Amino acid sequence: MTLSSGFNAGPRSSTPPLQVTLRRGCISESVHRVHAVVCDGRGRVLMCAGDPGYETFIRSALKPFQALPFLSSGAADQMDVGDRGVAISCASHAGTNVHAREAFKLLWKGELETSQLQCPVPLNAESPLQHNCSGKHAAFLATSRKMAWPLETYLQSEHPVQVEINRRVAELLGLPAEELVAARDDCGAPTLRLQLAQMALLYAHLGASRHAELEQISRAMLAHPDLIAGEGRFDTELMRRSHGQVLSKGGAEGIQCLSRIGEGLGVAIKVEDGSRRAKQAVALHLLHQLEWLTPMGLQELEEQVLIVNPGVHLEVNGALQFQQS
């Protein structure tokens, strides 16, 4: 099944970016500018604040799509990894024993060794299995083993697993794969430079349930939110409170993406200065505007995210505006 979007971000929006202010008492101390966009599965920009064509790296929000070859190659089925194995392959996890064990299971079932992982050993850790991207790397290796591709070079941009990832992402965006711009992420794997609206389009596809492999990935992430990030972490806590309706996956440097499950809508957020606290505050602000989360769920998350310290809180100003077709 070919998923062609005919993507076109259209003209630059005149809607101002959102603004996140850190207030100490009633006094402004720091300000963050944030761009946000909502797209449907046809690539239409429905709502935005700031520039939907803002270009930046998608970072770890690419992980659900980097897992596609793990499924399409038959490796995941052959290894019988289940939803937990698929979830850990999409994770930016906390490196706990539970997370490391799930990543190790992918290696063990694929007849691979921990020493073959090329993600770094985190500071004060003992194993690359504790790196937040270990599940993704294990899935790359398992896919390469299944397809008889080289194992030593799995992170190189010309390696078949990376070529296949680019092909699948390009197909979802309705673009030639040659137009995608890649660079090395901190874990060593390639990541992609995309327009913010293109990220939202990817997440619209992820939530649409029209593609079997993407539906399997979204189902696994929502079934095991504890594996995607970890206890007390934003993506995990948001998905726990969404009753299976909202998928959340962040990336470094102020990237946050959301899917509305079953409706084929995607949201992408970028904080210009890369602030994590600002992207999370904006995500909650937009979830409130879009009415994608219950008031109780929002309140619980706001208490965790918006109150930084006693007497210090985050305030979001601005709103998504509907775009003329």
Side-chain angles (χ1 to χ4, degrees):
M1 176 180 175
T2 300
L3 294 175
S4 178
S5 65
F7 175 80
N8 181 4
R12 292 292 193 255
S13 168
S14 60
T15 306
L18 300 159
Q19 180 173 293
V20 180
T21 304
L22 180 90
R23 295 195 181 277
R24 190 168 296 275
C26 61
I27 299 172
S28 170
E29 185 170 11
S30 299
V31 177
H32 310 279
R33 281 168 46 95
V34 187
H35 303 267
V37 60
V38 181
C39 279
D40 67 8
R42 294 171 59 187
R44 296 178 298 184
V45 174
L46 305 180
M47 306 173 77
C48 69
D51 183 4
Y54 191 101
E55 294 189 9
T56 189
F57 289 101
I58 188 172
R59 302 299 298 272
S60 284
L62 185 62
K63 284 179 177 174
F65 308 93
Q66 290 173 307
L68 281 168
F70 185 42
L71 275 64
S72 62
S73 67
D77 282 343
Q78 183 182 70
M79 294 160 54
D80 192 25
V81 301
D83 282 350
R84 292 181 68 85
V86 174
I88 200 68
S89 73
C90 302
S92 296
H93 62 71
T96 67
N97 289 339
V98 170
H99 294 117
R101 193 158 49 242
E102 289 298 331
F104 176 76
K105 286 179 182 177
L106 296 187
L107 296 176
W108 181 73
K109 290 183 176 182
E111 300 181 355
L112 296 154
E113 301 293 335
T114 301
S115 60
Q116 292 174 285
L117 291 172
Q118 294 182 31
C119 50
V121 177
L123 186 66
N124 299 322
E126 300 176 354
S127 168
L129 289 168
Q130 295 167 276
H131 191 277
N132 79 88
C133 299
S134 63
K136 175 181 75 175
H137 283 248
F140 287 163
L141 282 166
T143 304
S144 298
R145 169 78 78 187
K146 169 69 166 58
M147 300 301 293
W149 293 335
L151 302 180
E152 298 80 9
T153 57
Y154 73 88
L155 293 181
Q156 300 301 311
S157 59
E158 65 273 13
H159 189 277
V161 75
Q162 305 301 337
V163 172
E164 178 63 8
I165 289 166
N166 285 0
R167 186 189 72 79
R168 298 298 297 272
V169 169
E171 182 181 57
L172 290 167
L173 295 176
L175 300 172
E178 296 75 22
E179 292 186 12
L180 295 175
V181 176
R184 184 184 185 277
D185 209 335
D186 291 347
C187 71
T191 189
L192 297 174
R193 185 172 186 258
L194 300 172
Q195 293 182 24
L196 202 59
Q198 291 174 317
M199 300 181 203
L201 172 56
L202 289 176
Y203 274 76
H205 285 308
L206 187 58
S209 302
R210 289 193 295 265
H211 186 286
E213 291 156 359
L214 289 178
E215 196 277 334
Q216 185 177 352
I217 288 167
S218 63
R219 184 182 69 237
M221 293 176 70
L222 288 164
H224 301 286
D226 55 308
L227 296 180
I228 301 304
E231 294 295 325
R233 296 195 172 195
F234 186 76
D235 290 333
T236 293
E237 299 303 330
L238 193 163
M239 287 192 283
R240 279 176 169 168
R241 290 165 173 79
S242 78
H243 304 287
Q245 299 302 303
V246 181
L247 184 148
S248 178
K249 184 70 190 74
E253 295 301 321
I255 290 292
Q256 187 68 45
C257 294
L258 307 167
S259 293
R260 175 66 168 178
I261 302 301
E263 294 187 10
L265 297 176
V267 175
I269 296 163
K270 167 64 180 178
V271 184
E272 287 187 3
D273 64 11
S275 168
R276 177 188 296 175
R277 68 190 184 195
K279 74 176 184 180
Q280 294 173 354
V282 165
L284 296 181
H285 185 73
L286 301 188
L287 287 167
H288 175 77
Q289 182 181 352
L290 295 168
E291 298 182 346
W292 284 6
L293 216 59
T294 66
M296 181 177 294
L298 274 171
Q299 182 180 348
E300 291 173 353
L301 288 170
E302 287 170 352
E303 289 172 356
Q304 294 180 27
V305 171
L306 300 185
I307 300 173
V308 180
N309 283 308
V312 182
H313 68 279
L314 295 170
E315 177 182 286
V316 183
N317 292 299
L320 294 166
Q321 301 293 328
F322 284 100
Q323 299 301 292
Q324 294 181 349
S325 58

